[in-house]
CSV table of all heavy atoms in Angstrom, one decimal:
chain,number,residue,atom,x,y,z
A,244,LYS,N,-63.4,-28.5,91.9
A,244,LYS,CA,-64.6,-29.0,91.5
A,244,LYS,C,-64.6,-29.4,90.0
A,244,LYS,O,-65.6,-29.2,89.2
A,244,LYS,CB,-65.8,-28.0,91.7
A,244,LYS,CG,-66.0,-27.7,93.2
A,244,LYS,CD,-67.2,-26.8,93.5
A,244,LYS,CE,-67.6,-26.8,95.0
A,244,LYS,NZ,-66.5,-26.4,95.9
A,245,ALA,N,-63.4,-29.9,89.6
A,245,ALA,CA,-63.3,-30.3,88.2
A,245,ALA,C,-63.3,-31.8,88.2
A,245,ALA,O,-63.0,-32.5,89.2
A,245,ALA,CB,-62.0,-29.8,87.6
A,246,LYS,N,-63.5,-32.4,87.0
A,246,LYS,CA,-63.4,-33.9,86.9
A,246,LYS,C,-61.9,-34.2,87.0
A,246,LYS,O,-61.0,-33.5,86.5
A,246,LYS,CB,-63.9,-34.3,85.5
A,246,LYS,CG,-65.4,-34.4,85.4
A,246,LYS,CD,-65.8,-35.0,84.1
A,246,LYS,CE,-67.3,-35.0,84.0
A,246,LYS,NZ,-67.7,-35.5,82.6
A,247,ILE,N,-61.6,-35.4,87.5
A,247,ILE,CA,-60.2,-35.9,87.6
A,247,ILE,C,-59.8,-36.2,86.2
A,247,ILE,O,-60.5,-36.7,85.4
A,247,ILE,CB,-60.1,-37.1,88.5
A,247,ILE,CG1,-60.5,-36.8,89.9
A,247,ILE,CG2,-58.8,-37.8,88.4
A,247,ILE,CD1,-60.7,-38.0,90.8
A,248,SER,N,-58.6,-35.7,85.8
A,248,SER,CA,-58.1,-35.9,84.5
A,248,SER,C,-57.9,-37.3,84.1
A,248,SER,O,-57.4,-38.1,84.9
A,248,SER,CB,-56.8,-35.1,84.4
A,248,SER,OG,-55.9,-35.7,83.5
A,249,PRO,N,-58.2,-37.7,82.8
A,249,PRO,CA,-58.0,-39.0,82.3
A,249,PRO,C,-56.5,-39.5,82.5
A,249,PRO,O,-56.3,-40.6,82.9
A,249,PRO,CB,-58.3,-38.9,80.8
A,249,PRO,CG,-59.2,-37.8,80.7
A,249,PRO,CD,-58.9,-36.8,81.8
A,250,ASP,N,-55.5,-38.6,82.4
A,250,ASP,CA,-54.1,-38.9,82.6
A,250,ASP,C,-53.9,-39.3,84.0
A,250,ASP,O,-53.1,-40.3,84.3
A,250,ASP,CB,-53.2,-37.7,82.2
A,250,ASP,CG,-53.2,-37.4,80.8
A,250,ASP,OD1,-53.6,-38.2,80.0
A,250,ASP,OD2,-52.8,-36.3,80.4
A,251,THR,N,-54.5,-38.6,84.9
A,251,THR,CA,-54.4,-39.0,86.4
A,251,THR,C,-54.9,-40.4,86.6
A,251,THR,O,-54.2,-41.2,87.3
A,251,THR,CB,-55.1,-38.0,87.3
A,251,THR,OG1,-54.7,-36.7,87.0
A,251,THR,CG2,-54.8,-38.3,88.7
A,252,TYR,N,-56.0,-40.7,86.0
A,252,TYR,CA,-56.6,-42.1,86.2
A,252,TYR,C,-55.7,-43.2,85.6
A,252,TYR,O,-55.3,-44.1,86.3
A,252,TYR,CB,-58.0,-42.2,85.5
A,252,TYR,CG,-59.1,-41.6,86.2
A,252,TYR,CD1,-59.9,-40.6,85.7
A,252,TYR,CD2,-59.5,-42.1,87.5
A,252,TYR,CE1,-61.0,-40.0,86.4
A,252,TYR,CE2,-60.6,-41.6,88.1
A,252,TYR,CZ,-61.4,-40.5,87.6
A,252,TYR,OH,-62.4,-40.0,88.2
A,253,ILE,N,-55.3,-42.9,84.4
A,253,ILE,CA,-54.5,-44.0,83.6
A,253,ILE,C,-53.1,-44.2,84.3
A,253,ILE,O,-52.7,-45.3,84.6
A,253,ILE,CB,-54.3,-43.5,82.2
A,253,ILE,CG1,-55.6,-43.5,81.4
A,253,ILE,CG2,-53.3,-44.5,81.5
A,253,ILE,CD1,-55.6,-42.8,80.1
A,254,ASN,N,-52.5,-43.1,84.7
A,254,ASN,CA,-51.1,-43.2,85.3
A,254,ASN,C,-51.2,-43.8,86.7
A,254,ASN,O,-50.3,-44.6,87.2
A,254,ASN,CB,-50.4,-41.9,85.3
A,254,ASN,CG,-50.0,-41.4,83.9
A,254,ASN,OD1,-49.8,-42.3,83.1
A,254,ASN,ND2,-50.0,-40.1,83.7
A,255,THR,N,-52.3,-43.5,87.4
A,255,THR,CA,-52.5,-44.1,88.8
A,255,THR,C,-52.7,-45.7,88.6
A,255,THR,O,-52.1,-46.4,89.4
A,255,THR,CB,-53.8,-43.5,89.4
A,255,THR,OG1,-53.6,-42.1,89.6
A,255,THR,CG2,-54.0,-44.1,90.8
Side-chain angles (χ1 to χ4, degrees):
K244 296 185 170 54
K246 280 184 181 176
I247 295 166
S248 145
D250 292 343
T251 307
Y252 281 118
I253 294 165
N254 293 329
T255 301

